[in-house]
Amino acid sequence: MLRLLIFLGLLIPTLGYSQQTKVKKPLPEKKNAHLPYACIFEDGAYPATVIQRNTMTKDSTVFARIAVEIEGCLVIGIRFPKGSKFLQDTLQINDIDDLGNSIIQGKNGNYYVIQAKYEPF
């Protein structure tokens, strides 16, 4: 019993000391710190599901796994398939959140709901 008390008497102070000596690493600076969320997307093309919706006719078209161009955490373009009627739509640039979601308006009465995945092409 005496040995147990001596052992615990020596062990407890060293446990407390080891907790105090841990040095905290400084947090790295956030890329794009001006955004209200963390941006994980680097510049490049990423696969995405894009849902095109027409505000006039309420029609929708779903594009599964097409490329979206991201630069500075902004969606700057959508690579529509050849022959798509949406190739001619002028898109407004919009930011993308850390989950890969963005909504972009086009000038032809369309808007595009983007759900990008963080797996560069």
Side-chain angles (χ1 to χ4, degrees), residues 67-115:
V68 293
E69 291 287 332
I70 297 175
E71 188 175 302
C73 288
L74 298 171
V75 178
I76 60 169
I78 302 171
R79 293 184 191 165
F80 290 105
K82 290 183 180 178
S84 172
K85 63 183 176 181
F86 306 113
L87 283 172
Q88 304 304 319
D89 201 359
T90 305
L91 305 175
Q92 295 178 355
I93 295 174
N94 197 10
D95 61 339
I96 190 161
D97 67 15
D98 57 336
L99 300 175
N101 300 317
S102 184
I103 297 176
I104 296 181
Q105 284 189 302
K107 293 191 177 178
N108 292 341
N110 297 314
Y111 67 95
Y112 304 89
V113 178
I114 297 171
Q115 298 162 339

Side-chain angles (χ1 to χ4, degrees), residues 12-24:
I12 291 175
T14 53
L15 288 176
Y17 180 74
S18 68
Q19 292 296 324
Q20 293 173 357
T21 59
K22 288 185 179 177
V23 178
K24 292 185 179 180

